[in-house]
């Protein structure tokens, strides 16, 4: 048996960059060629030149890469800067009156913040935090709806040198408590509630529950009045945001910090074991946020950018709070879900706000596909010029729908691979340079040295699946796991004598050199001696015209090692009885024809949806438990729809 992961998914459609896009792009083919050449010839100098060009320094650095404590890598160590200054202050002279954030709530309320507005609001909150005793290095936990104030809170922490840790507003009180205690937070910033799916989610109540069972380190809670729901305010601890900032000055002197000063902690979901707090440094993280906003999203001064991610996740950090603002862009921030009042909400917003660059997750694209082609066709999407995807591999059929129905066959699609740990896009098309292929994230960006290797660390040839690794340190990489350095080393540097960063994903390269992500290493199935990536089976299922979405997991099998279990959502109503049996037969044969008999699912189950968190992530560990027939004992309160669990278990 080979240790390599087998690949049988082939895609022959290719899309070169449109000529009119290339003509206006920030990064043209000759520019990209020069960047790749520079990175190849002088890797450290490549990053140092970019850091001097793209970051405003209080004190410029003289040290580039410090690898003396590998696998703890540091960049620009003797430089001094401030991230908030780079996102706001440096734009004031030329862009002070330019919209920075256009906010829209689910109910339709809107507010526009210029860069000068942001300066004022961030300054007042930063001064309020200082008045509460928050100093450089103190931790502040932010637990808010997806509103402009969440971005302001993050920027205020960065301004005064506090380390923020944003907790997604869909997490339970227990999950919030874990992050509060592990980070040692001194102050919490939250809201009374937020609106989602037409109902008010009461965040303050969860905060109160979390603090009741926490270690009691939080001294103050700042509460933003958003939803207007009733909340309990504890004397001497809780204060309304508008009261805390009312008497504060707009001018808040930035805390000038060393380049390696921690900017934020971002915790993984913690669905198994203790959540890990990914720690990112200030200057290195900002550098990759800046250059990818320019290179991958081609952001110009007149663009309207919309990344649909919540700031509770890394995508919302890099491509809402820091990247777009660092390059002086205008962006959309939206509080609600994409299906209120109907599945045309996002497309209406793109039309109404003149969105030009749109970045979202494949799960959202597939859900909106299911709603049909009629809704997007009702809106004027002609101002869109670039589309992006993030979060997981996008199956080719969803890519094509996005290309045709949303992009009008004119918009390049940047399918981006990266992680919480990498800080920014790592493998992605350069939209004026790269010929794209549906389902492939294409090639590493300039300065990112990625490879696909076997268990011995040897590079693999075309269409051989293996381990995705990064062979050289890059500025925005995580620095450690907060208060758990042993876990940092064992998780990300366990192989190859600690020389390569282990991404935890399986991947392959096609004969053109494009990368294809095949799923997480723990999502590889071992079926009768064949190692199969779940993503390829999922893509084959979704390629069938009747299927809207699919997720594949394995369960133990006495003979084959593992059997394949597929959870499928159809574009039509969920089938039952003989109709379901016939559809199972059809899909099993379809997968056999597209991949091979070895990939036929042994069990196919239908439901109205997949178990997803409110961020759109499929809870695959939950699916594995369902496939094995195990009792569900884990917390499922963060699911968008808890009812699908019973359907997938055959109980509804």
């Amino acid at each position: 048996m080979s240790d390599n992961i087998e690949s049988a998914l082939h895609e022959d459609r290719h899309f070169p960059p449109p000529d009119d896009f290339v003509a206006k792009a920030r990064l043209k083919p000759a520019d990209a060629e020069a960047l790749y050449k520079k990175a190849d010839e002088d890797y450290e100098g490549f990053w140092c030149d970019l850091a001097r060009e793209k970051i405003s320094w209080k004190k410029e650095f003289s040290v580039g890469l410090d690898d003396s404590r590998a696998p703890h890598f540091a960049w620009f160590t003797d430089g001094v800067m401030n991230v908030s200054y780079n996102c706001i202050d440096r734009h004031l002279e030329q862009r002070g009156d330019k919209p920075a954030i256009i906010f829209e709530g689910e109910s339709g309320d809107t507010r526009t913040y210029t860069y000068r507005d942001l300066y004022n609001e961030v300054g007042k909150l930063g001064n309020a935090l200082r008045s509460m005793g928050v100093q450089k290095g103190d931790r502040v936990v932010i637990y808010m709806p997806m509103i402009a104030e969440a971005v302001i809170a993050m920027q205020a922490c960065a301004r005064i040198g506090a380390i923020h840790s944003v907790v997604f507003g869909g997490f339970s009180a227990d999950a919030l408590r874990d992050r509060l205690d592990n980070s040692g937070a001194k102050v919490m910033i939250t809201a009374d509630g937020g609106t989602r799916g037409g109902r008010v989610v009461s965040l303050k109540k969860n905060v109160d529950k979390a603090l009741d069972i926490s270690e009691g380190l939080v001294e103050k809670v700042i509460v933003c009045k958003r939803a207007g729901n009733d909340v309990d305010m504890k004397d001497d601890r809780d204060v309304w945001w508008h009261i805390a900032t009312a008497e504060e000055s707009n001018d808040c002197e930035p805390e000038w910090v060393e380049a390696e000063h921690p900017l934020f902690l971002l915790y993984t979901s913690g669905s198994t074991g203790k959540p890990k707090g990914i720690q990112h440094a200030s200057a290195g993280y900002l550098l990759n946020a800046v250059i990818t906003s320019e290179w991958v999203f081609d952001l110009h001064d007149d663009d309207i950018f919309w990344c649909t991610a919540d700031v509770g996740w890394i995508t919302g950090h890099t491509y809402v709070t820091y990247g777009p603002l660092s390059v002086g862009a205008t962006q959309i921030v939206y509080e609600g879900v994409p299906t209120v009042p109907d599945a045309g909400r996002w497309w209406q917003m793109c039309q109404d706000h003149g969105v030009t660059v749109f970045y979202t997750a494949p799960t959202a694209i597939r859900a909106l596909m299911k709603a049909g082609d009629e809704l997007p066709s009702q809106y004027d999407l002609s101002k869109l010029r670039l589309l992006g995807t993030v979060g997981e591999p996008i199956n080719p059929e969803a890519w094509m729908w996005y290309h045709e129905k949303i992009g009008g066959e004119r918009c390049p699609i940047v399918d981006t691979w990266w992680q919480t740990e990498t800080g920014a896009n790592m493998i992605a098309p350069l939209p004026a340079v790269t010929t794209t292929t549906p389902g492939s994230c294409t090639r590493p960006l300039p300065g990112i040295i990625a490879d696909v290797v076997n268990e011995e660390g040897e590079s693999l040839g075309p269409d051989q699946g293996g381990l995705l690794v990064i062979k050289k340190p890059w500025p925005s990489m995580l620095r450690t796991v907060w208060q758990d350095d042993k876990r940092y080393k064992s998780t990300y540097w366990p192989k190859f004598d600690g020389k390569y960063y282990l991404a935890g994903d399986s991947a392959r390269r096609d004969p053109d050199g494009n990368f294809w992500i095949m799923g997480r290493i723990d999502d590889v199935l071992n079926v009768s001696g064949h190692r199969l990536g779940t993503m390829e089976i999922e893509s084959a299922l979704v390629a069938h015209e009747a299927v809207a979405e699919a997720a594949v997991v394995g369960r133990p099998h006495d003979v084959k090692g593992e059997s394949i279990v597929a959870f499928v959502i159809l574009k039509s109503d969920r089938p039952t009885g003989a109709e379901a049996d016939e559809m199972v037969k059809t899909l099993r044969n379809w997968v056999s024809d597209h991949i091979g008999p070895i990939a036929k699912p042994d069990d196919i189950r239908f439901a109205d949806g997949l178990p997803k968190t409110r961020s759109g992530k499929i809870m695959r560990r939950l699916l594995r438990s369902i496939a094995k027939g195990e009792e569900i004992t884990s917390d499922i309160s963060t699911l968008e729809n808890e009812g699908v669990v019973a359907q997938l278990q055959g109980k509804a």
Side-chain angles (χ1 to χ4, degrees):
M1 169 186 145
S2 168
D3 285 335
N4 298 337
I5 301 162
E6 300 180 33
S7 174
L9 183 67
H10 298 285
E11 178 58 59
D12 297 322
R13 292 169 288 192
H14 305 289
F15 298 87
D19 291 341
D20 57 343
F21 189 98
V22 175
K24 300 174 184 176
R26 293 187 69 143
L27 192 72
K28 294 180 167 49
D31 304 321
E33 184 180 357
L35 287 169
Y36 280 114
K37 185 171 186 251
K38 172 70 172 175
D40 184 55
E41 294 175 349
D42 180 10
Y43 187 77
E44 186 175 345
F46 166 84
W47 287 113
C48 288
D49 287 351
L50 284 170
R52 292 187 180 98
E53 177 188 351
K54 303 297 184 183
I55 294 178
S56 297
W57 297 89
K58 183 71 170 178
K59 175 196 168 193
E60 192 169 294
F61 61 92
S62 63
V63 177
L65 169 63
D66 178 0
D67 58 2
S68 61
R69 295 177 55 245
H72 295 282
F73 300 96
W75 288 88
F76 324 124
T77 50
D78 59 342
V80 175
M81 49 80 72
N82 180 275
V83 169
S84 179
Y85 178 91
N86 275 267
C87 291
I88 300 174
D89 302 48
R90 65 174 174 174
H91 302 309
L92 292 179
E93 185 174 341
Q94 293 187 332
R95 300 185 179 95
D97 297 323
K98 177 184 176 179
I101 292 173
I102 301 170
F103 170 75
E104 181 168 322
E106 194 175 72
S107 64
D109 57 308
T110 63
R111 181 176 174 183
T112 297
Y113 297 78
T114 66
Y115 275 90
R116 186 161 286 105
D117 291 334
L118 276 190
Y119 175 86
N120 293 336
E121 296 299 323
V122 168
K124 288 191 290 186
L125 184 60
N127 284 327
L129 289 169
R130 279 178 170 159
S131 298
M132 294 175 183
V134 178
Q135 300 177 353
K136 174 185 174 183
D138 286 341
R139 275 78 63 204
V140 175
V141 165
I142 299 169
Y143 181 67
M144 299 189 75
M146 187 56 187
I147 56 179
E149 286 86 350
V151 176
I152 290 167
M154 296 165 76
Q155 288 283 349
C157 290
R159 191 163 196 87
I160 67 172
I163 304 167
H164 66 66
S165 181
V166 183
V167 179
F168 174 59
F171 277 131
S172 65
D174 285 342
L176 177 58
R177 183 271 315 272
D178 289 342
R179 288 150 176 78
L180 283 169
D181 290 349
N182 185 259
S183 66
K186 187 173 186 176
V187 168
M188 269 215 66
I189 304 177
T190 188
D192 50 3
T195 303
R196 187 171 182 86
R199 64 187 181 90
V200 172
V201 179
S202 183
L203 298 177
K204 179 60 164 59
K205 286 183 180 177
N206 274 349
V207 168
D208 293 340
K209 290 178 185 176
L211 291 177
D212 284 344
I213 57 176
S214 78
E215 295 176 355
L217 300 177
V218 171
E219 299 172 4
K220 289 287 183 181
V221 178
I222 300 174
V223 185
C224 177
K225 185 169 285 191
R226 167 59 187 163
N229 52 302
D230 291 336
V231 297
D232 292 325
M233 298 291 282
K234 185 174 180 179
D235 292 343
D236 300 325
R237 187 195 72 184
D238 302 345
V239 59
W240 289 106
W241 176 311
H242 63 278
I243 293 175
T245 59
E247 302 300 323
E248 299 291 349
S249 168
N250 298 345
D251 297 318
C252 179
E253 176 65 20
E255 183 76 27
W256 301 104
V257 300
E258 60 276 15
E260 282 295 303
H261 177 71
L263 176 62
F264 64 84
L265 311 176
L266 186 53
Y267 286 84
T268 57
S269 63
S271 54
T272 60
K274 186 175 69 172
K276 32 180 207 299
I278 303 304
Q279 178 181 322
H280 277 288
S282 295
Y285 169 81
L286 181 67
L287 176 59
N288 282 91
V290 171
I291 62 173
T292 52
S293 295
E294 293 181 350
W295 296 352
V296 178
F297 297 110
D298 189 47
L299 290 182
H300 293 252
D301 210 45
D302 58 351
D303 273 316
I304 307 295
F305 177 63
W306 185 12
C307 168
T308 67
D310 192 284
V311 291
W313 310 107
I314 188 63
T315 304
H317 280 57
T318 307
Y319 299 112
V320 177
T321 298
Y322 293 113
L325 297 180
S326 68
V327 299
T330 297
Q331 65 172 322
I332 304 296
V333 170
Y334 173 56
E335 180 183 15
V337 299
T339 52
V340 172
D342 57 42
R345 178 62 180 267
W346 279 4
W347 316 134
Q348 180 173 350
M349 288 180 61
C350 285
Q351 170 189 275
D352 293 350
H353 296 294
V355 174
T356 58
V357 182
F358 183 74
Y359 190 37
T360 195
T363 53
I365 295 168
R366 289 191 290 266
L368 295 172
M369 278 177 65
K370 186 179 178 183
D373 301 343
E374 298 78 16
L375 277 172
S377 69
Q378 295 174 18
Y379 300 98
D380 180 4
L381 304 179
S382 61
K383 288 191 176 179
L384 286 171
R385 64 180 193 86
L386 179 65
L387 303 174
T389 72
V390 59
E392 62 183 4
I394 182 170
N395 55 289
E397 295 313 309
W399 194 103
M400 288 301 301
W401 184 87
Y402 199 31
H403 171 67
E404 293 169 358
K405 305 303 179 185
I406 307 306
E409 301 186 9
R410 71 183 182 279
C411 299
I413 295 178
V414 288
D415 175 1
T416 62
W417 176 84
W418 60 297
Q419 302 173 311
T420 301
E421 294 86 349
T422 71
N425 296 162
M426 300 287 279
I427 306 176
L430 297 170
V433 178
T434 309
T435 293
T436 54
T437 301
S440 170
C441 54
T442 68
R443 301 190 181 193
L445 297 174
I448 304 302
I449 314 302
D451 199 0
V452 179
V453 302
N454 61 19
E455 293 286 345
E456 288 71 47
E458 300 164 337
S459 295
L460 296 172
D463 288 332
Q464 290 184 284
L467 308 175
L468 179 60
V469 298
I470 312 297
K471 290 188 165 182
K472 288 188 177 182
W474 65 100
S476 67
M477 66 192 299
L478 79 164
R479 295 311 195 250
T480 189
V481 172
W482 180 257
Q483 295 187 334
D484 198 346
D485 199 59
K486 182 178 179 182
R487 193 173 183 185
Y488 166 74
K489 293 176 181 176
S490 65
T491 302
Y492 304 107
W493 309 91
K495 295 175 177 285
F496 322 125
D497 298 323
K499 293 179 181 177
Y500 302 157
Y501 168 83
L502 184 67
D505 282 331
S506 56
R508 67 178 173 93
R509 276 175 300 205
D510 64 24
D512 295 325
N514 290 323
F515 282 68
W516 295 75
I517 306 302
M518 301 170 67
R520 297 294 293 169
I521 292 171
D522 56 7
D523 285 337
V524 174
L525 308 180
N526 187 343
V527 181
S528 299
H530 298 269
R531 301 185 75 215
L532 304 172
T534 56
M535 178 265 173
E536 295 194 331
I537 303 172
E538 292 168 3
S539 288
L541 285 164
V542 177
H544 191 281
E545 63 181 4
V547 177
E549 193 164 15
V552 169
V553 299
R555 71 177 174 213
H557 190 280
D558 291 341
V559 177
K560 296 192 292 184
E562 281 186 287
S563 62
I564 300 170
V565 182
F567 300 93
V568 173
I569 293 85
L570 300 180
K571 294 176 182 176
S572 58
D573 293 339
R574 177 166 57 104
T576 57
E579 184 186 2
D581 294 340
E582 187 62 31
M583 182 55 73
V584 166
K585 181 179 177 181
T586 298
L587 293 179
R588 292 186 78 239
N589 291 336
W590 175 269
V591 173
S592 178
D593 291 343
H594 279 69
I595 297 182
I598 191 65
K600 269 188 179 183
D602 298 271
D603 183 4
I604 296 179
R605 304 186 190 184
F606 300 103
D608 296 328
L610 294 173
K612 297 177 184 177
T613 65
R614 292 170 201 166
S615 69
K617 288 280 188 181
I618 298 171
M619 293 186 70
R620 293 179 184 274
R621 291 185 180 89
L622 190 59
L623 289 179
R624 293 190 194 100
S625 295
I626 294 171
K628 294 174 185 176
E630 297 173 347
E631 194 68 30
I632 304 300
T633 58
S634 58
D635 179 17
I636 61 172
S637 63
T638 59
L639 290 183
E640 191 73 61
N641 179 3
E642 296 180 26
V644 301
V645 174
Q647 287 183 359
L648 295 171
Q649 290 174 315
K651 298 178 181 179

